[in-house]
Amino acid sequence: MSFSSTANQLPDDLLRLLPLTPAVFYTLFSLAEGDRHGYAIMQQARLLSSGSFRMGPGTLYSTIQRLMDFALIEETPEPAATQDPDSRRRYYRLTRNGRTLLEHDLRRMRSAVRLAHDLNLVPEN
Amino acid sequence: MSFSSTANQLPDDLLRLLPLTPAVFYTLFSLAEGDRHGYAIMQQARLLSSGSFRMGPGTLYSTIQRLMDFALIEETPEPAATQDPDSRRRYYRLTRNGRTLLEHDLRRMRSAVRLAHDLNLVPEN
DNA sequence: GCTGATATATCCGTAAGAGATATATCAGCC
DNA sequence: GGCTGATATATCTCTTACGGATATATCAGC
């Protein structure tokens, strides 16, 4: 069993983003499932967090811009599979570094959850 | 098997803190293991995050003050078990609400990690 | 007494977040 | 066609949280 990235090296300025803020984490996480446009990222982030994280347009588009500046995401043409194209939509996808950074943070979270479990802080299921 | 808090209700102003920022999360998490003083929280946060989160004094003490204002932590007398007492130290402990809020966020993180695993985003171990 | 780690505290510049507003497009309905 | 409401992006500003520097003092070891 092999995985896409193993102990991948990231430049220091990207590692300094760890731990990811909720806005950055859920934006990258949403795009890990597939390419999306901004508004869909906002909706998916809410879904992925079971409603606990609600991103407004201010946070959404400023976060997208910041992630673009760091080359963690990039704009991509409208997917061909799109049924009902909407001319307004701008689609984004994870870059290699974006995926690697997300994986870093997920390992950090998994480690925390496991420690918490040992401390009996969260129910079994 | 029973747990300390099950689906505990928290006031809206506390639920609005979710998802917790890294500084708040690791501060509460450090105190979930036992009562600590400020400087020890800082060190423990670094340990618990495997070094990825380094909290400076500015963030540390402003976070402590904020958590006190929300009554998520409270000051507590020096533990009797302390071997080498240091007059400067100020100890803190989790309140009931602090623990409940931390559990909320841990469930959110666990849910994210599980989804990520299904997407093959993190290695098995 | 000197040094360096420990410990708390405060200040201030910066970055991120949150909400409001604006504008336009699209779908459904009457 | 015209109305409505959800969709979609964009920008602006206020506020908050973060981060680093500085300050002061205590403690342990040499």
Side-chain angles (χ1 to χ4, degrees):
Chain A
M1 180 83 63
S2 71
F3 289 85
S4 52
S5 83
T6 53
N8 210 328
Q9 297 293 2
L10 283 174
D12 271 358
D13 63 323
L14 294 186
L15 289 177
R16 241 174 272 130
L17 296 177
L18 294 171
L20 303 181
T21 64
V24 170
F25 172 77
Y26 279 110
T27 298
L28 295 182
F29 198 17
S30 295
L31 292 178
E33 299 181 305
D35 301 350
R36 294 177 192 280
H37 58 95
Y39 196 81
I41 291 172
M42 193 185 71
Q43 295 172 308
Q44 189 65 11
R46 186 169 171 178
L47 259 183
L48 288 172
S49 69
S50 304
S52 75
F53 181 54
R54 303 187 187 187
M55 190 161 37
T59 303
L60 172 66
Y61 293 105
S62 65
T63 298
I64 286 177
Q65 188 52 56
R66 205 162 70 255
L67 296 181
M68 294 270 285
D69 293 342
F70 279 113
L72 293 166
I73 66 175
E74 60 190 10
E75 201 168 349
T76 183
E78 178 132 4
T82 303
Q83 296 295 342
D84 297 306
D86 186 327
S87 60
R88 297 168 297 170
R89 294 178 178 167
R90 300 179 61 180
Y91 282 80
Y92 302 93
R93 73 177 194 86
L94 274 187
T95 63
R96 185 98 168 125
N97 277 353
R99 183 169 297 266
T100 303
L101 188 68
L102 176 61
E103 288 167 352
H104 271 263
D105 206 46
L106 280 163
R107 279 192 289 270
R108 178 190 65 82
M109 288 172 63
R110 187 182 53 184
S111 165
V113 169
R114 284 182 177 172
L115 283 168
H117 183 262
D118 294 343
L119 293 171
N120 224 31
L121 274 172
V122 282
E124 298 287 340
N125 265 321
Chain B
M1 179 83 61
S2 70
F3 289 85
S4 53
S5 82
T6 53
N8 210 330
Q9 295 295 1
L10 283 173
D12 271 358
D13 63 324
L14 294 186
L15 289 177
R16 241 174 273 131
L17 296 176
L18 293 171
L20 302 182
T21 64
V24 169
F25 172 76
Y26 279 110
T27 298
L28 296 182
F29 198 17
S30 296
L31 292 177
E33 298 181 304
D35 300 351
R36 292 179 194 279
H37 57 95
Y39 196 81
I41 291 172
M42 194 184 71
Q43 295 173 309
Q44 189 65 11
R46 187 170 170 178
L47 260 182
L48 288 172
S49 69
S50 305
S52 75
F53 180 54
R54 303 185 187 189
M55 190 161 37
T59 304
L60 172 65
Y61 293 106
S62 65
T63 299
I64 286 177
Q65 188 53 57
R66 205 162 70 253
L67 296 181
M68 295 269 286
D69 294 342
F70 279 114
L72 292 166
I73 66 175
E74 60 192 7
E75 202 168 350
T76 181
E78 179 132 0
T82 305
Q83 297 293 343
D84 298 306
D86 187 327
S87 60
R88 297 168 298 171
R89 293 177 178 166
R90 300 180 62 180
Y91 283 79
Y92 302 93
R93 73 176 194 86
L94 273 188
T95 63
R96 185 97 167 127
N97 276 355
R99 183 169 297 266
T100 302
L101 188 68
L102 175 61
E103 288 167 353
H104 270 263
D105 206 46
L106 280 164
R107 279 192 288 272
R108 177 192 64 84
M109 287 172 62
R110 187 183 53 184
S111 165
V113 169
R114 285 182 176 171
L115 282 168
H117 183 262
D118 294 343
L119 294 171
N120 224 32
L121 273 173
V122 283
E124 299 286 340
N125 267 321

